[in-house]
């Protein structure tokens, strides 16, 4: 457990759990919360004993967006010049694999934070949306880009222009969500997936994440070339030697960190 103000950070084996914890504001994401999430993500990246980060909210809300009360009186000079949302990009740059377990509202910055994670698991109660248009703004933490990549132009335009929410089933059909589970099993299922990822060689999970991420940043030909370089690089690692030897010897691998 930890002494953070806006999150509860805890460890379960090799999984770093971050619970967003501003229940009175439906976990609205203020600067303090983003700074605290970033601090934990950076620590996880630097810690070989952390193999996966699991971010979750409450039953009612993963997060209802960036904190509107903190933004309401800001001007262009501040938002563009000081660039407070640049801090969010640093969370997106986390190298350790990240799972978002979403129950209830994931709106605006809440949806954007979930989309910065590598896998979104949702409870049937989840509601995703980019309702910024209702406030006279647009998504400002990558939503127009990541949502469009995840669900395509048609649905991204629909969500960003109408501000409507989509439920978990629609979000899964559209490709935003990896799995939908019953509300009472979300924590357990998300932890199971996180522990599975965390059980592998951290190096290979980081490189797998990097390789899949390339698909979104470049064309297929360039992406495949980048993947090939990353793939080849893994053949210089002890975990590749051990992983393949263990398979052929019909035993569980002992990753470098455990030797
Ligand atoms: N920022 C600050 N406070 C918020 C908030 C937010 N994004 N979302 C909810 N809250 C607060 C409410 O003000 C309310 O506080 P009080 O009890 O002190 O009045 C409390 O959380 C509970 O909210 P509601 O009473 O509104 O709860 P509800 O169940 O009736 O409605 C909701 C839930 C539909 C999610 C509604 O709260 C809502 O529409 N929230 C705003 C959603 C939104 O516009 N998000 C985008 C924010 S902008 C953004 O994120 C920019 C970006 O891209 C980075």
């Amino acid at each position: 457990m930890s002494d953070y103000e806006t999150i509860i950070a805890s460890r379960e084996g090799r999984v770093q759990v971050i619970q967003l914890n501003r229940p009175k504001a439906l976990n609205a994401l203020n600067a303090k919360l983003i700074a605290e999430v970033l601090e934990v993500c950076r620590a996880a990246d630097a810690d070989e004993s952390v193999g996966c980060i699991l971010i979750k909210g409450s039953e009612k809300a993963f997060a209802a967006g960036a904190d509107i009360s903190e933004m309401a009186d800001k001007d262009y000079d501040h938002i563009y010049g000081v660039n407070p949302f640049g801090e969010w990009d640093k969370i997106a740059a986390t190298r350790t694999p990240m799972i978002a377990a979403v129950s209830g509202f994931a709106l605006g910055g809440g949806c954007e934070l979930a989309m910065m994670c590598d896998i979104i698991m949702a409870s049937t109660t989840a509601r995703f949306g980019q309702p910024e248009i209702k406030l006279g703004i647009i998504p400002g933490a990558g939503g127009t880009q990541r949502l469009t990549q995840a669900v395509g132009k048609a649905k991204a335009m629909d969500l960003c222009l109408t501000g409507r929410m989509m439920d978990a089933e629609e979000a899964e059909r559209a490709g935003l969500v990896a799995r939908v589970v019953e509300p009472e099993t979300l924590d357990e299922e998300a932890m199971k997936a996180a522990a599975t990822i965390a059980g592998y060689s951290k190096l290979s999970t980081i490189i797998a994440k990097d390789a899949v991420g390339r698909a979104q940043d470049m064309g297929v030909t360039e992406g495949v070339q980048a993947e090939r370089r990353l793939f080849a690089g893994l053949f210089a690692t002890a975990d590749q030697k051990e992983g393949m030897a263990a398979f052929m010897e019909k035993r569980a691998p002992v990753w470098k960190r455990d030797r």
Side-chain angles (χ1 to χ4, degrees):
M1 296 300 257
S2 60
D3 298 327
Y4 293 106
E5 236 177 72
T6 62
I7 62 172
I8 299 168
S10 59
R11 273 288 289 276
E12 274 196 43
R14 290 177 48 76
V15 178
Q16 174 66 59
V17 180
I18 300 175
Q19 176 155 22
L20 310 177
N21 190 34
R22 298 188 68 213
K24 287 188 187 143
L26 300 183
N27 292 333
L29 305 163
N30 62 8
K32 180 83 185 165
L33 185 147
I34 290 299
E36 291 185 344
V37 170
L38 179 58
E39 187 179 324
V40 177
C41 289
R42 283 193 160 154
D45 271 358
D47 185 348
E48 174 69 22
S49 75
V50 176
C52 191
I53 298 168
L54 173 55
I55 304 185
K56 60 186 187 179
S58 67
E59 231 175 273
K60 179 160 184 196
F62 178 75
D67 192 318
I68 297 167
S69 63
E70 209 178 54
M71 282 182 295
D73 66 351
K74 296 290 185 289
D75 58 12
Y76 176 86
D77 288 15
H78 181 84
I79 298 291
Y80 194 76
V82 176
N83 191 21
F85 287 94
E87 293 306 292
W88 296 48
D89 299 339
K90 297 175 188 167
I91 295 175
T94 301
R95 302 187 80 203
T96 306
M98 297 201 281
I99 295 180
V102 175
S103 180
F105 299 112
L107 302 177
C111 187
E112 290 170 305
L113 178 63
M115 289 191 293
M116 286 175 196
C117 296
D118 305 301
I119 296 173
I120 301 179
M121 290 187 61
S123 126
T124 51
T125 64
R127 298 287 178 274
F128 297 88
Q130 297 290 163
E132 288 88 345
I133 203 79
K134 297 181 182 176
L135 300 168
I137 59 168
I138 66 166
T144 60
Q145 307 305 298
R146 290 195 179 92
L147 185 65
T148 309
Q149 278 174 341
V151 305
K153 177 188 161 188
K155 231 175 243 299
M157 284 289 189
D158 179 6
L159 292 174
C160 290
L161 289 175
T162 68
R164 79 170 176 90
M165 295 183 219
M166 65 177 167
D167 64 19
E169 206 184 293
E170 181 181 359
E172 187 187 28
R173 268 200 320 270
L176 179 66
V177 159
R179 304 186 209 171
V180 179
V181 299
E182 292 304 319
E184 56 282 7
T185 64
L186 178 65
D187 275 2
E188 190 190 329
E189 291 296 325
M191 179 53 74
K192 229 192 276 175
T196 298
I197 293 167
Y200 297 128
S201 156
K202 184 167 181 177
L203 184 61
S204 42
T205 61
I206 286 175
I207 293 176
K209 166 174 173 158
D210 192 7
V212 175
R214 300 295 172 107
Q216 304 192 309
D217 291 343
M218 50 181 84
V220 172
T221 306
E222 269 177 288
V224 169
Q225 282 165 1
E227 180 200 70
R228 192 67 35 77
R229 285 191 294 275
L230 292 166
F231 178 72
L234 278 163
F235 284 74
T237 67
D239 283 344
Q240 175 268 329
K241 299 282 170 300
E242 170 62 10
M244 293 193 176
F247 175 82
M248 289 183 300
E249 290 160 20
K250 300 191 188 306
R251 59 175 176 81
V254 182
W255 304 119
K256 191 173 165 206
R257 64 162 185 268
D258 297 324
R259 275 185 253 144

